Structure formats: C-alpha cells, structure tokens
Amino acid sequence: DYTHQGAKVSAEIAKRRGQQYVGIIGQAPNGTNNLFVDGFKAGITSQNLKNVYFVVNEFDGGTPSSTVNTVLAMLTAHPKINVVLSWEGEATTGIIAAIQEKHDVGKIVGVTNDVTAQTLAGIKSGALYGTSQQNFCKMAKVSVDDLIGLGKGKNYPKYIDSGLTFITR
C-alpha cells in the first residue's frame, strides 16, 4: 500500500538531523504516485514530524534516462531541497548521478525504493540516505492466503502490512 509506505518513509526521513526539505520524483501526476505522495504528506501531519517538509513533486515519465535531468531541474528550481525521494526503484541511478553531478553528496541525499547493488553502493557512498525494502514474498503469500480466506467467508482489515524495512548505512 503506497499510502502507508509514504507515511513510513516520512518517519524515516525525520530521523535525520536538521530540517528535511523533500522533493519527490514520480512517474506521472496520477495513480500510484498520488497514493505515495498523499501518504507521505499525511505521515508528516499525523506523526507530527516537525523537521520534514514536502516541497514539490516532479515527474520523469517512468524513464530512468530522464531522471537525472528531472532531479537537476528540481534542485535548481528548489535550492532548499536536501532529500530527493522516489518510490520508483528504477529512479535510483538517476538520483545518485544528479547528486554527484551537483557535487552535493552528503549535503543532498536520495531516498529510494528497492534493494539493488546500485542502491547499496549509493548508501555506502553517502549519495543515498536509505531505501525501502519491500517483502515481496510475504506480499504474495498474504494475498493468496487472504483470497482463500475471503472465499471461506473471513473478513480482513482494509490494510494488511506485509512488511517494509527501511535500510540505511
């Protein structure tokens, strides 16, 4: 559930010292992106996060080759941004490259989704603060188990957490 993931990530970003000005990179201004961004904003409010601020949501069209330029343009237009966040796993390399190109590793950090070799290297280098690791196996198992349960007349809550681990250095 991207709404809940957005809220969880806002709390993880709040653990960083100082004020966190967040620019979010998404595919397009609809669908999953809106769920994540709405959850992120709601998480700031519901968790009373005093050091996290949503600045802007920009779009790379879901095209990793566009991510670098999108991030660079966002950082130029909004110089207060010190956290570039994306729920798109494929945006990771573009976020890292943009931060490195600006020579702002450590001053600006990325926060991404999914654990890949590039993500781990970005965390180790300081270009990324962290990443969300989703539990895909549990997602599948819970879905199948709950579908079987629904067929047997069981009721379930609207949201079932399948596990999200936030990984930092």
Side-chain angles (χ1 to χ4, degrees):
D1 182 327
Y2 284 97
T3 302
H4 287 91
Q5 182 181 4
K8 286 183 178 185
V9 171
S10 68
E12 294 296 334
I13 291 171
K15 293 177 182 176
R16 287 178 34 90
R17 293 197 327 199
Q19 302 303 305
Q20 307 303 309
Y21 296 96
V22 181
I24 298 178
I25 298 295
Q27 293 177 339
N30 54 33
T32 303
N33 183 78
N34 289 356
L35 294 172
F36 183 85
V37 173
D38 289 349
F40 182 82
K41 291 177 186 178
I44 293 170
T45 303
S46 68
Q47 299 169 95
N48 200 28
L49 305 176
K50 298 292 186 192
N51 69 326
V52 179
Y53 305 91
F54 169 77
V55 177
V56 69
N57 185 200
E58 297 291 345
F59 312 102
D60 64 6
T63 308
S65 61
S66 299
T67 305
V68 175
N69 290 334
T70 303
V71 172
L72 288 171
M74 180 179 70
L75 294 172
T76 300
H78 304 278
K80 277 188 135 180
I81 291 174
N82 59 354
V83 178
V84 178
L85 168 62
S86 183
W87 57 271
E88 302 176 275
E90 65 272 5
T92 301
T93 55
I95 291 170
I96 293 169
I99 292 168
Q100 290 172 336
E101 190 171 316
K102 285 191 65 66
H103 303 288
D104 280 337
V105 172
K107 180 181 174 194
I108 300 171
V109 296
V111 174
T112 61
N113 190 33
D114 295 334
V115 179
T116 64
Q118 293 134 337
T119 303
L120 296 176
I123 291 171
K124 288 178 184 174
S125 76
L128 298 180
Y129 169 65
T131 191
S132 299
Q133 179 183 20
Q134 300 173 79
N135 190 334
F136 295 116
C137 292
K138 188 174 179 185
M139 284 179 193
K141 181 179 181 337
V142 167
S143 296
V144 170
D145 290 348
D146 291 354
L147 282 172
I148 292 168
L150 285 170
K152 294 178 179 178
K154 286 187 175 183
N155 292 316
Y156 293 95
K158 181 177 178 182
Y159 173 72
I160 299 170
D161 189 351
S162 60
L164 180 75
T165 303
F166 193 79
I167 299 170
T168 64
R169 189 172 195 160

